[in-house]
Amino acid sequence: MTRVYMIRHGETDWNKAHRLQGWSDIPLNERGRAQAACAAKMMASVPLDVIYTSPLKRAVETADIIRGERDIPVIPEKGFIEINLGRWDGHSPDEMDRLYPGQYDIWRSTPGDVHIDGGESFAAVQERAWKSFLSMTEKNKGKRILMVSHMGCLSTILFKIAGYGLNDLWKHPIGNCALCRVDIGEEGTMHIGEWGRDDYIPDDLKMKVPFGRVKD
C-alpha cells in the first residue's frame, strides 16, 4: 500500500487578512510556523520516505519544519502550486467588491464556475494537480509520502478521488497545517482516510473565520 499524507501550509499574513493568495510567494507568519511545529510533532513518529512540496515559500517552509532533522528528500513539484489568481491575487474581499463587483461572491458560492482574468479555473488546477499526483504515487509505490501544498490544490485532488463537484469546494475546508490522508492499494484503488484533521493544533492557533466572507 502507498500512503500519502497531505498537509496544507501554515498561516501567512495574507491568510490572516483574508487576502486572496495564489502564486504570490508569501512566507509563513509566526502563527504559521507554530502551526507547522504542531504538525511536525504530530508527524514525528510517522515513517516517511519522501516529501513533495509546492515550490512556494509557505509550503516549502512548512515542509522543512515538519521534516525536522530527518534525512528525507524534499522534491518541489510545480503541479502542486496553488491556483493562479491572476489580477485577483492579493486583494481583500472589500477590494474585490470595488474592483470586480460580484466576483468575490461567485468565488465563495460557486468556485467551480469562476473564470479569473489572467488566472486559472479550478478545473485547470485539478487537471495539472491530478497529473502530478498520479506521477508522484507511481514513482513511489509502496512508500509513505508527505505532500505539502495549498487548500485549492489539495481539495481538487481529494474531490477527484471522492467524485465531488468543484462548486462544493468550500464545503470541505482544509485549515492551515490540517492533515488529509489517501491510501492507495496495489491495484490502484484510492481511499480517503482523513480529510482536514486538525485536532493537534490548539484552538488559539486556528483562524476563527478561516476563509473570509461567505455569501448568505
Side-chain angles (χ1 to χ4, degrees):
M1 182 186 71
T2 305
R3 175 163 287 180
V4 184
Y5 298 93
M6 307 163 76
I7 293 183
R8 183 188 174 198
H9 64 80
E11 184 183 287
T12 71
D13 284 343
W14 278 20
N15 288 144
K16 184 177 180 180
H18 299 304
R19 292 190 176 278
L20 292 171
Q21 185 173 238
W23 285 12
S24 290
D25 207 2
I26 311 302
L28 299 181
N29 60 20
E30 183 177 349
R31 187 157 67 170
R33 295 184 186 97
Q35 293 165 341
C38 293
K41 183 177 180 181
M42 182 271 298
M43 293 290 294
S45 62
V46 176
L48 294 173
D49 297 298
V50 64
I51 299 173
Y52 281 75
T53 179
S54 157
L56 295 177
K57 292 175 183 176
R58 55 191 184 269
V60 172
E61 186 175 1
T62 300
D64 284 342
I65 291 171
I66 295 172
R67 178 177 63 167
E69 299 301 318
R70 289 183 284 187
D71 185 17
I72 307 168
V74 177
I75 301 171
E77 171 52 55
K78 290 182 179 179
F80 296 150
I81 200 169
E82 184 57 293
I83 184 172
N84 181 355
L85 291 173
R87 296 183 181 180
W88 292 12
D89 213 353
H91 290 309
S92 68
D94 288 344
E95 290 168 350
M96 286 289 295
D97 288 344
R98 186 176 71 253
L99 295 169
Y100 307 100
Q103 292 299 298
Y104 186 81
D105 286 331
I106 296 174
W107 164 260
R108 295 298 294 122
S109 59
T110 54
D113 294 337
V114 167
H115 299 279
I116 303 169
D117 188 10
E120 287 180 293
S121 66
F122 274 116
V125 175
Q126 187 176 61
E127 183 178 358
R128 48 99 164 158
W130 184 245
K131 181 179 179 180
S132 292
F133 184 79
L134 292 180
S135 175
M136 175 186 74
T137 54
E138 180 66 25
K139 291 175 182 176
N140 295 279
K141 282 186 176 181
K143 295 184 178 180
R144 298 295 184 264
I145 306 164
L146 172 62
M147 173 186 168
V148 181
S149 184
H150 311 266
M151 180 179 168
C153 180
L154 293 174
S155 295
T156 64
I157 294 170
L158 293 167
F159 271 48
K160 181 78 171 181
I161 297 169
Y164 296 163
L166 292 173
N167 275 336
D168 289 333
L169 203 71
W170 309 125
K171 296 179 182 178
H172 300 269
I174 303 171
N176 291 115
C177 282
L179 171 71
C180 306
R181 193 188 80 241
V182 175
D183 293 330
I184 306 171
E186 292 183 5
E187 67 285 358
T189 57
M190 297 187 185
H191 170 71
I192 299 172
E194 294 182 282
W195 191 328
R197 177 190 163 203
D198 64 356
D199 59 313
Y200 48 87
I201 300 176
D203 286 343
D204 62 343
L205 290 180
K206 297 177 185 176
M207 294 184 69
K208 304 306 179 186
V209 183
F211 306 116
R213 187 186 73 219
V214 179
K215 184 178 177 63
D216 294 330

